[in-house]
Each structure stands twice: as structure tokens, then as C-alpha cells.
Amino acid sequence: MNLMTDITAAFPTDDVRQQLSAFHTEMRESERDKNVLALLKSTIKDGRDAIRARLEEDGRGLACAKDLSALQDELIRVLFDFATTYVYPSRNPSSAERLAIVAVGGYGRGTLAPGSDIDLLFLRPYKQTPWGESVIEFILYRLWDLGFKVGHATRTVSECIKLSRSDMTIRTALLEARCIGGETSLFDEFWMRFERDILYNTARDFIDAKLAERDVRHKKTGESRYVVEPNVKEGKGGLRDLHTLFWIAKYFYRVRTIEELFDIGVFSRAEYRDFLKSEDFLWAVRCHMHFLTGRSEERLSFDLQAEMAARLGYRDAAGLAAVERFMKHYFLVAKDVGDLTRIFCAALELREAKKPGVIQKLMSPLGVGREPEPKPLGKDFVIDTGRLSVANERVFERDPVNLIRIFAVSHREGLLFHPDALTLIRRSLRLIDKDVRADPKANRAFIELLTDTENPERALRRMNEAGVLGKFIPDFGRIVSLVQFNMYHHYTVDEHLLRSIGALAKIERGELETELPLSHELISRIENRTVLYVALFLHDIAKGRPEDHSIAGAKVARRLCPRLGLSKADTELVAWLIEEHLTMSSIAQSRDLSDPATIADFAKVVQTPERMRLLLLLTVADIRAVGPGVWNSWKGQLLRTLYWSTLPVLTGDVPGASRDRQVASARDALQLELSHWTNAEFDAYADRHSDAYWLQTTPVQRREHVDLFQVVDAAGDRFVLQESTDAFRGVTEVTVIAPDHPTLLAEVAGACTTGDADIVSANIFTTTDGLAIDMIAVRRQLPDDEEELERARRLSALIEAGMRGEIAMPDQVKRKTRHGQPGRLKAFSIAPEVRIDNDVSTQQTLLEISGLDRPGLLYDLTTAIGTLNLNVASAHIATFGERALDVFYVTDLTGGKIQTKARQTRIKKALLKVFGETEKPRKKSTPKVAAE
């Protein structure tokens, strides 16, 4: 691109200057200012429109950023010239009436995004003059009137130098300084002193500060570069990482361009190309985002990703949607940025200091001291300046298994890689062929790494970052940087798998004993831990394929595990774990765990205690690796309940007592606590409750309910509510006793919607005298028990007000949800499904409803269920990102199952209508989403 020609077209400087001159000559001041602003607005809009059109045509992001910067330069020059020529002319300027306009920060680098701030330094002589103040004020006000966000400072050269010494942010901004107008000699004086007084001999402090600043930024935006809604500017692997790299390079090597890093040998030609390609792609994404949103949006959120994919020309292909292909490309670029950063920092450390850890201990003068000789580490590897390197350049060609072995050595010895070793690894990836993959030594080394309890996640991540893992296991290579376009998963598939291995290793090391007591207990009882680690590593290996990834993943395991050295029996066990890796989570979160049928069905799946132990541990590690906040104590409690409820069935220790005897046992236990009651008094109370109540409540709950019923009976008040917290389970419970009616649960759900409380489960029982006991568990929000109880009391008051008719719940919910679908949810389209099943429960019909989540959805569903005259025995509420999965166990008003097809059809139509569906959707299987 001929930048100057293009910018001249985008901003016709000569024409604009002529018109401005005419305005000054022919118009009064007030009229002139109005026309100046209109002319500049129109010119800038036309220029930005032209630059945007070029971006959409050729997709060149860096060129777009440079064009926008050049356009801004022209605008500021025109304003400066107009101000100094016509508005505030200085006929005989003194030495004090000089001014240089300097672009700093990102603008100084000569690149701008459409929504970027304009950072300016007005460089003045030793003192400010009224003339200088007036010119600066004129320029700033016109820029503000034109809608630009301007960061500005007015300083002398000496002030710049003084502030640079004490403020690293100012020093960094001035490092990018570029004169765009005014007195260039003033800028030259500044730059000479900045180099002499600031840059010389201060590299150590600058590098320390920039790397520390980078670490803080990464923690703020997300430790991983593979979060599925990345921050393009500030996130790990984003533009700011490239900028940090360049700042350090400019400071340390005194270069002005990235090309010079290639010239002096810091980057290879391929790495130099990677830098340019990465920078261009990230700028294209950022500029498109700003143009698309009309603001300085830096987060590539779900509601932008599909549109961005279309703008950048991605199409559906190879089983991946266009948006998934775009995001895969994005994360591959983020990986390249990470590689470049590691290479640069390692080269800096080794080239300039020749000893480990010198990034924080740079010496001056550089290169002092004698470089120590490499220390042999076996026949193929050496320790060179504290890092693992290769004995010679033929190490991998002579024995390609060394490409696997070197990671085992690095892990065992706790050594980082020498940049020479990293470079040779990347150049040797072609050597990992079918023979290496079949080599028992290579596979044995990999299994040892995978199953090592001391941070196997880090070792595998190093293999993945170097490209070795995907070459050694091609199925893994297929899911590197693969994104699942949903709100549930926070990371790319490969990152999720590595994090799940890390979670399992933490359990095995005992780091999560308090949080995961059952997992901690079971991990030591596992008979074959290799099976568990391999299954976890492969459980999502088939994501992105047309076939169900659990089934396809089991096929991959059957093909791959023998190569890894697993026996036939172990291979089948791994395949079974992958096939069923969603089952335990799905049942725990969406089924009635007090129903014997649920437990019996799960026992048929797992068959043995060992398989259930393996599945539980895999499930816990899987969920914990999905993303921050996805695992919670409530899910842990559900999994523990399912485990302990199923274990007696698998061990043959099923109590011989019949259902009636279990009910009788629960009644007897309560009667012992109420020994001051007569038999007649107790029987009268106990007979009010159904068998389901006695089977599904705990002894503590039953005793608390006695007191609540006494309040109801004594006061004649048919409403009573009680709140309690359970920090370990991560829930707060609200118990409601009220007259039973079909819309009672809807009233409770409406109050929870209005009160910002997320229901996770509800158990509902009806007494013989027409009272309902609703036990509602909502997700805990506050760490302090008393504060959480106060929140629960406010929720109870809202529930009671709704039940008493003191507030119109439909109006309350409507006001709460009036803004409709949140922006992120608008990016998704999920066909709703309603499944009616009479086989999973002995007493009730199961309604399983899935679809796109939205505010007020649960209230609308429970209202529809109430209108259908269905009694809800229990409800299980789960949300997986944008997908809601709500399960209700219901009966008709006579207590029977919903058997007739006609009634089932009416129920389905009514519930689909809640989602806006008017037709019955095409029949398809319900996906397992519990831990996907």
C-alpha cells in the first residue's frame, strides 16, 4: 500500500487547508468555528469510511491501524497550522513561543484502532506563554468537539526527563514518542536527552517493570491465553504482549523496528514473519471490532464472534462452523505470540547475561564474565546457562524419540528450555512419524509424564506449546486451539484437557482434601491410576467431529491405548469411561437422587464400585477444568449423594427393609425425638405426610418441620417460611409451608427471579390436609453466614408477599426481565426440546426441558406447568452457559403419571410455547451437556 497516496485520498489536506483559509477570510468568528467543525467532521468521516472499506476489502489490519494514525496526524497538523496561522498568529515569535506536538503511547507507534484514545504531549520550552496555552486549548477543544478521546500533557523537556525517572508508565509512553507537528528541534532535544539520561544503563529496571506489569495484566484478564472470550488488546497472547516485547527490544537493543531484531539475530526469519502475521491479524480483529461496535471494544465476546468471522471471510468447513474456524485461528495466533515472547525473553536472558534468572538481574556492562561451559546431562542433553539444551544439532535426527524424552528430562530436572533447544525442536517436528509414534520407548516416556503427580499439566503444556504433543498424538493435534461456540466452556478444548489433568494431579497430591473430601478419599483406592489419567486426557479428544464426541472418543481410545502400552482390559475401561464421562454429572444434576429408580439405573451403568470411583474422579476433574466458577459445592454434594446412594446397590448391602419399613423407620426415629408427645398426637401429625416425604427428607429437616407445623397450627396462619444456609454445599435453603395449589412453585420462582436468586433444586411435598412443603435450594452468593441469611430473609418476604397477593408477581417479573435477552445470549440459537419420560421414576412422570436460557425462564415454565394442572414433586434446575436444562418430576392432580399421548402432546406444546415455538421441533436425541 502506498500509505501517503491513500491518506491523501482519505484526507485531502490541500483542499481542507484552502477551505479553512476561506472560512477565516470570509466569515465571522462564530460562523467560522461552526463551519470549521462541520468541514473537519465530514472529512474525518469520509476518511475513516474509506479506511474501513479498505479493511473490509483486503483484511490488512496493520495497514488499517497505520492509516488511521496517519489520518489523525493530518487532522492535528491542519488544526495546528490553522491555529498558528489564522487564529493565534505570532508575527515575531520569541524563543518561548515554540511548541512541538508529539504523539506518545500507541499513537506514537503510528498505529490506532478506530476507538483508540489519542495520546498527545505538547512539548514547550522552559516556560509556558499565553500564545502556547491558546494554541493547545484550540487544538484540544476541536478534537473533543470532533468526538475524540484525548489524553494530553503539556511539559518541558526537563519535566519529561524528571517524570520518566520516577514513573514507568510515562517512561513507556515517551519511549514511543513521535513528533507530528510544530518545532521539530524541540523534539530532537527531548529525544537526545531521553536516550542519554533515561535509556542508558536502566534496562534492568525497565524490563523488571514491564514483565511485572504483564503478569498483573494477565491475572486481571485471565491467566490463560485460551479463554473463549479473549481480550484482544490486554489478554494473554494479545496485542499488548507484542507491544511489551517491542518496548523491551527498543529499550534494550536500541532498535526502532521489529525488522532490526531479525537483522541482529534475535529472531529467525520465520519468527520475524510470525510476528508480522500475528500483529496484522490482531490489528484486523481489533479494528473490525471497533468499527462494528462503534466503541473501543477490546473483548471478543460471543455476540461479536459470529459477525467477526463473517467479516474476516471464514466459512463453514471440515465439520466446524465459520465462527469456530475463526476462533481456532485466533488462538493459534495467540499461541504464536506466546512462542515469540518466550523466545525473545530467553534470548535476552542468555545473550546478555549468560546465567539463569537474569531477566530480573540484568548486568551492566553487559556480557561481563566468562560464559560457563555446558554441563552434560546424559549423552544427548546438556545444561547450558541453567537451561536444558541439546548436546548437538543431530540429537533428534539420530534418535527422534529424544523429541519426547527431552520433555521428560526437563520435567524431571525442573529445567526450562534453552532457546536453541526450542528452535531445534520446532525444526524437527517432521521427524515425529508413524515409527516414532509406535516406538514403545516414546510411548512409555509419554505415559510417565502424563501420570506423574508433580505437575503433569505443565509438562504436557510445554509439549503442546512446542507442537510436539499434537504431532505425537495426531488426534490431539486436531483439537489444538479448537473452540466450542458456547458460554459453558471457558477454554479451548486442548487447554481444557490439560487443565483437567492438572486438577486430577492436585487431588492426588492432597491439595484439595478440604474441598473434595470424597475425591481425596477415593483417589488412593484406585487400582489402576494410569487408566484414569489416560481416560481424562482423551475424554474430549473427539470434539469437533460430526459424531457424538463421547462415542467417537471411545473409538479413538480403542485405537490409541494399545499403542500407549495399555492392556486390552485397560483399553476397554478407558473407552467406557470416555463413553460415559458425562453420565454421572448429568444424573446428579438433573435427576431425583432420592428416587430408587434413579439409583438403580445408575448402578446398571457403572456395575462395579471401582468403575464408579473412576467415573466420579474423572467427572470432578472434568467439571473443575471447564472454567472459573463452574465447579461449586452444590455440584460436589450432588455427586457425593449419588455415589453414597449407589454404593450399597453395587456392594450387595441393600437394606432388606421394604419401602414401608423404611418409612416406618423414619417415623420411629422422629417419634423418639418427640417422646413428650402421646402416640395419638404423633400419629395425627405423621399421617399428614406422604411416604415420599419420609423417604426424601433428612432427620434434621423432619425435626425442623415439626416446629414449623406447630406455628402454622397454633397461629392459624397458613403461611410459614424458614431460612438456613449450608456453606459446604454452597446453597441457601428456604422452606415454604403454604396452602397447596398448582402455581405455588411459579410464585416461588417469580420471587427468586425478582430477588436475583438462582434456584438449583426444589423438593415439594403435599400433606393430607392440603398444605405444601416446598424446600427450595438457591445458589449461595455471600461468604458471611449472617449476610447470606439476611439475603434469604428478604427472599422469603418477597415469596410471602407474592403468595398473599400483596404484589402482582407477573408484573414484578416483567419489570425485572423487561430488557429481554442479555447481549451475550443473543449470539446463540438453541432449538428447545421437551422430553416426557415415564420410565425413569416409579412414581412420577419426568419432564425434561432444554433450550436457550433467559431471565424469567423458570418462572414462565413453572407458570405453564401450573396452568396445565400438574403437581410438581421435585425440580432440578441446571444451566450450562447459554443452555438451560430444567427437570420436573410431576403427577396429575390424582397423583398418577401422565400416560395418555394426547395429554403429553398438550404439555409439550404449552412448554414449547414458553420458548416462542409454535411448531413441534424435529425429533432428535437430547445432548448430554452436564460436563461437556
Side-chain angles (χ1 to χ4, degrees), residues 25-43:
T25 303
E26 301 168 6
M27 297 178 181
R28 296 188 302 273
E29 183 177 340
S30 60
E31 187 180 0
R32 178 199 68 190
D33 289 349
K34 180 179 177 182
N35 281 275
V36 166
L37 191 63
L39 171 64
L40 294 178
K41 274 187 176 179
S42 174
T43 305

Side-chain angles (χ1 to χ4, degrees), residues 507-624:
I507 294 171
E508 191 165 14
R509 290 196 301 268
E511 295 177 15
L512 303 174
E513 178 180 1
T514 302
E515 188 177 354
L516 304 173
L518 180 57
S519 297
H520 175 76
E521 176 189 340
L522 297 182
I523 192 76
S524 61
R525 295 165 55 190
I526 294 299
E527 297 171 6
N528 191 332
R529 54 189 298 280
T530 298
V531 163
L532 180 57
Y533 275 90
V534 171
L536 191 59
F537 176 69
L538 298 178
H539 76 273
D540 279 346
I541 198 78
K543 282 287 181 74
R545 306 187 191 196
E547 189 178 4
D548 181 289
H549 79 281
S550 299
I551 297 171
K555 293 178 182 176
V556 171
R558 290 186 177 98
R559 171 169 42 82
L560 180 62
C561 286
R563 192 197 103 185
L564 295 175
L566 274 68
S567 67
K568 184 176 181 180
D570 287 347
T571 296
E572 282 305 312
L573 184 52
V574 168
W576 176 83
L577 283 167
I578 293 170
E579 224 168 78
E580 301 294 343
H581 77 269
L582 300 175
T583 300
M584 193 169 193
S585 178
S586 178
I587 290 174
Q589 295 185 67
S590 63
R591 294 293 181 265
D592 184 351
L593 303 184
S594 65
D595 190 325
T598 298
I599 304 306
D601 288 345
F602 182 61
K604 289 177 184 176
V605 173
V606 294
Q607 298 180 9
T608 70
E610 173 68 3
R611 281 155 67 111
M612 184 166 67
R613 286 192 288 268
L614 289 167
L615 189 57
L616 180 129
L617 288 164
L618 186 149
T619 300
V620 171
D622 183 13
I623 299 176
R624 290 183 69 88

Side-chain angles (χ1 to χ4, degrees), residues 711-771:
V711 172
V712 169
D713 295 340
D717 191 339
R718 304 289 277 180
F719 295 97
V720 65
L721 296 94
Q722 177 179 274
E723 308 82 21
S724 63
T725 65
D726 190 330
F728 185 68
R729 290 193 298 148
V731 296
T732 293
E733 291 186 326
V734 177
T735 300
V736 181
I737 298 179
D740 186 34
H741 59 87
T743 61
L744 177 59
L745 182 58
E747 292 284 352
V748 174
C752 288
T753 298
T754 305
D756 294 318
D758 295 328
I759 296 177
V760 294
S761 75
N763 281 325
I764 300 160
F765 310 99
T766 306
T767 65
T768 56
D769 54 343
L771 290 176

Side-chain angles (χ1 to χ4, degrees), residues 211 214 339 341-351 353-360 371-377 380-391 406 409-410 413-423 462:
L211 293 180
R214 181 197 63 180
D339 291 344
T341 302
R342 277 190 300 276
I343 290 166
F344 176 77
C345 287
L348 183 68
E349 176 180 310
L350 293 162
R351 175 176 175 139
K354 307 299 184 185
K355 70 176 186 178
V358 78
I359 280 288
Q360 283 74 35
E371 181 179 352
E373 290 293 324
K375 176 185 175 183
L377 194 63
D380 295 314
F381 309 117
V382 296
I383 300 176
D384 187 352
T385 58
R387 288 175 175 259
L388 179 62
S389 192
V390 291
I406 192 171
V409 173
S410 167
E413 301 294 333
L415 293 170
L416 296 175
F417 285 106
H418 191 286
D420 292 347
L422 283 175
T423 300
R462 287 176 179 172

